[in-house]
Amino acid sequence: MKILKIVSVAALIGFASVAMAQTAPGLVVSVSSPASVATGNARTLATISLSAGSSGAVLTKLPLSMGYAAQTGSITSAAPLSNCKLTNATGTTLNTGSNAIGPSLGSQDITVTFDQAINIAAGSNAVLNLVCDVPGTIPNGSAVAVAIF
Protein backbone atom coordinates (compact mmCIF):
# COMPACT_ATOMS: atom_id res chain seq x y z
CA MET A 1 0.00 0.00 0.00
CA LYS A 2 1.35 3.43 -0.95
CA ILE A 3 1.15 6.30 1.51
CA LEU A 4 0.67 10.03 0.87
CA LYS A 5 2.11 12.08 3.73
CA ILE A 6 0.32 15.22 4.79
CA VAL A 7 3.19 17.44 5.80
CA SER A 8 1.38 20.56 6.89
CA VAL A 9 -2.00 22.13 7.17
CA ALA A 10 -2.55 25.73 8.05
CA ALA A 11 -5.22 28.34 8.42
CA LEU A 12 -3.77 31.53 6.97
CA ILE A 13 -7.01 33.38 6.99
CA GLY A 14 -8.50 36.68 8.02
CA PHE A 15 -11.92 36.64 6.44
CA ALA A 16 -12.56 40.25 7.36
CA SER A 17 -9.81 41.26 4.93
CA VAL A 18 -10.63 38.83 2.11
CA ALA A 19 -12.55 40.55 -0.69
CA MET A 20 -15.19 37.90 -1.31
CA ALA A 21 -18.95 37.68 -1.30
CA GLN A 22 -19.22 36.56 2.29
CA THR A 23 -19.89 37.99 5.71
CA ALA A 24 -17.51 36.44 8.19
CA PRO A 25 -15.95 38.93 10.61
CA GLY A 26 -14.73 37.15 13.71
CA LEU A 27 -14.64 33.76 12.02
CA VAL A 28 -12.02 31.49 13.59
CA VAL A 29 -10.59 28.81 11.30
CA SER A 30 -8.56 25.78 12.32
CA VAL A 31 -7.32 22.95 10.13
CA SER A 32 -6.22 19.46 11.09
CA SER A 33 -5.28 16.34 9.17
CA PRO A 34 -4.04 12.80 9.59
CA ALA A 35 -0.26 12.35 9.30
CA SER A 36 -0.79 10.29 6.15
CA VAL A 37 -3.44 8.64 4.02
CA ALA A 38 -3.34 5.46 1.95
CA THR A 39 -4.08 5.60 -1.75
CA GLY A 40 -7.70 5.14 -2.72
CA ASN A 41 -10.93 6.99 -3.32
CA ALA A 42 -12.50 9.62 -1.05
CA ARG A 43 -9.57 10.11 1.34
CA THR A 44 -9.89 12.92 3.88
CA LEU A 45 -6.83 15.17 3.55
CA ALA A 46 -7.92 17.92 5.94
CA THR A 47 -10.67 18.76 8.39
CA ILE A 48 -11.59 22.44 8.57
CA SER A 49 -13.35 23.80 11.64
CA LEU A 50 -15.11 27.15 11.26
CA SER A 51 -16.22 28.85 14.47
CA ALA A 52 -18.49 31.87 14.18
CA GLY A 53 -18.15 34.89 16.41
CA SER A 54 -20.96 36.62 18.23
CA SER A 55 -22.57 37.80 14.99
CA GLY A 56 -22.48 34.52 13.05
CA ALA A 57 -21.11 34.03 9.55
CA VAL A 58 -22.28 33.31 6.02
CA LEU A 59 -19.77 31.68 3.66
CA THR A 60 -20.14 31.41 -0.09
CA LYS A 61 -16.50 30.67 -0.96
CA LEU A 62 -13.37 29.22 0.65
CA PRO A 63 -9.84 29.91 -0.68
CA LEU A 64 -7.47 26.92 -0.56
CA SER A 65 -3.82 26.46 -1.44
CA MET A 66 -2.44 23.00 -2.24
CA GLY A 67 1.17 21.96 -2.55
CA TYR A 68 2.33 18.55 -3.78
CA ALA A 69 5.83 17.11 -3.62
CA ALA A 70 6.83 13.80 -5.17
CA GLN A 71 8.97 11.45 -3.12
CA THR A 72 12.09 13.25 -4.37
CA GLY A 73 10.88 16.32 -2.49
CA SER A 74 10.55 18.56 -5.51
CA ILE A 75 7.34 20.58 -5.79
CA THR A 76 5.51 19.85 -8.99
CA SER A 77 2.41 21.17 -10.65
CA ALA A 78 1.47 17.65 -11.65
CA ALA A 79 -2.07 16.82 -10.67
CA PRO A 80 -1.90 13.68 -8.56
CA LEU A 81 -5.20 14.24 -6.75
CA SER A 82 -8.61 14.00 -8.38
CA ASN A 83 -12.29 14.26 -7.53
CA CYS A 84 -11.53 16.73 -4.71
CA LYS A 85 -14.49 18.18 -2.86
CA LEU A 86 -15.51 19.78 0.38
CA THR A 87 -18.05 17.87 2.43
CA ASN A 88 -19.91 18.72 5.59
CA ALA A 89 -19.87 16.64 8.78
CA THR A 90 -22.50 14.27 7.38
CA GLY A 91 -20.58 13.68 4.14
CA THR A 92 -22.75 15.81 1.85
CA THR A 93 -20.70 17.38 -0.95
CA LEU A 94 -20.91 21.17 -0.78
CA ASN A 95 -19.49 21.99 -4.24
CA THR A 96 -21.02 20.07 -7.14
CA GLY A 97 -21.65 20.70 -10.84
CA SER A 98 -20.02 23.92 -12.02
CA ASN A 99 -18.61 24.42 -8.50
CA ALA A 100 -16.68 21.13 -8.53
CA ILE A 101 -12.90 21.20 -8.10
CA GLY A 102 -10.97 19.59 -10.84
CA PRO A 103 -11.00 17.35 -12.61
CA SER A 104 -7.61 17.09 -10.94
CA LEU A 105 -5.64 19.05 -8.40
CA GLY A 106 -1.91 19.57 -7.98
CA SER A 107 0.08 22.50 -6.62
CA GLN A 108 -2.18 25.50 -7.01
CA ASP A 109 -4.37 28.07 -5.33
CA ILE A 110 -8.10 27.61 -5.81
CA THR A 111 -11.28 29.18 -4.53
CA VAL A 112 -14.05 26.72 -3.79
CA THR A 113 -17.53 28.11 -4.38
CA PHE A 114 -20.29 26.41 -2.40
CA ASP A 115 -23.55 25.35 -4.06
CA GLN A 116 -25.42 27.11 -1.26
CA ALA A 117 -24.14 29.55 1.34
CA ILE A 118 -23.03 28.00 4.59
CA ASN A 119 -24.75 29.75 7.48
CA ILE A 120 -22.99 29.43 10.82
CA ALA A 121 -25.10 30.70 13.70
CA ALA A 122 -23.55 33.04 16.25
CA GLY A 123 -21.40 31.14 18.73
CA SER A 124 -21.55 27.85 16.82
CA ASN A 125 -19.26 26.06 14.39
CA ALA A 126 -19.23 24.05 11.18
CA VAL A 127 -16.90 21.25 10.16
CA LEU A 128 -15.82 20.71 6.54
CA ASN A 129 -13.66 17.95 5.12
CA LEU A 130 -11.37 18.21 2.09
CA VAL A 131 -11.77 14.83 0.40
CA CYS A 132 -9.80 13.68 -2.68
CA ASP A 133 -9.04 10.51 -4.60
CA VAL A 134 -5.35 9.60 -4.14
CA PRO A 135 -4.12 7.49 -7.08
CA GLY A 136 -2.01 4.39 -6.64
CA THR A 137 0.43 5.82 -9.19
CA ILE A 138 1.91 8.38 -6.79
CA PRO A 139 5.39 7.57 -5.52
CA ASN A 140 5.26 6.12 -2.01
CA GLY A 141 6.16 8.80 0.54
CA SER A 142 5.02 11.74 -1.60
CA ALA A 143 3.60 14.65 0.35
CA VAL A 144 0.81 17.21 0.18
CA ALA A 145 0.30 20.45 2.10
CA VAL A 146 -3.01 22.26 2.46
CA ALA A 147 -3.56 25.87 3.52
CA ILE A 148 -6.61 28.07 3.82
CA PHE A 149 -5.86 31.71 3.13
Side-chain angles (χ1 to χ4, degrees):
M1 172 184 353
K2 293 183 181 179
I3 300 295
L4 176 68
K5 295 186 289 188
I6 302 176
V7 294
S8 67
V9 293
L12 310 170
I13 193 164
F15 269 26
S17 64
V18 175
M20 293 187 159
Q22 56 191 331
T23 306
L27 185 70
V28 176
V29 179
S30 62
V31 184
S32 62
S33 71
S36 63
V37 294
T39 57
N41 293 336
R43 302 299 185 184
T44 299
L45 301 183
T47 298
I48 304 158
S49 178
L50 306 167
S51 297
S54 60
S55 60
V58 177
L59 301 178
T60 59
K61 299 179 180 190
L62 186 67
L64 294 174
S65 181
M66 299 282 292
Y68 171 75
Q71 183 184 16
T72 60
S74 60
I75 298 293
T76 176
S77 61
L81 306 174
S82 62
N83 196 27
C84 293
K85 57 192 168 193
L86 285 171
T87 64
N88 63 14
T90 63
T92 302
T93 301
L94 302 174
N95 57 304
T96 61
S98 63
N99 293 328
I101 303 169
S104 56
L105 184 62
S107 295
Q108 62 196 69
D109 294 340
I110 59 170
T111 298
V112 179
T113 301
F114 300 117
D115 296 343
Q116 297 179 352
I118 297 173
N119 293 294
I120 307 171
S124 64
N125 61 13
V127 174
L128 308 178
N129 294 303
L130 175 63
V131 177
C132 296
D133 294 347
V134 180
T137 56
I138 65 164
N140 193 34
S142 295
V144 68
V146 179
I148 300 171
F149 59 96

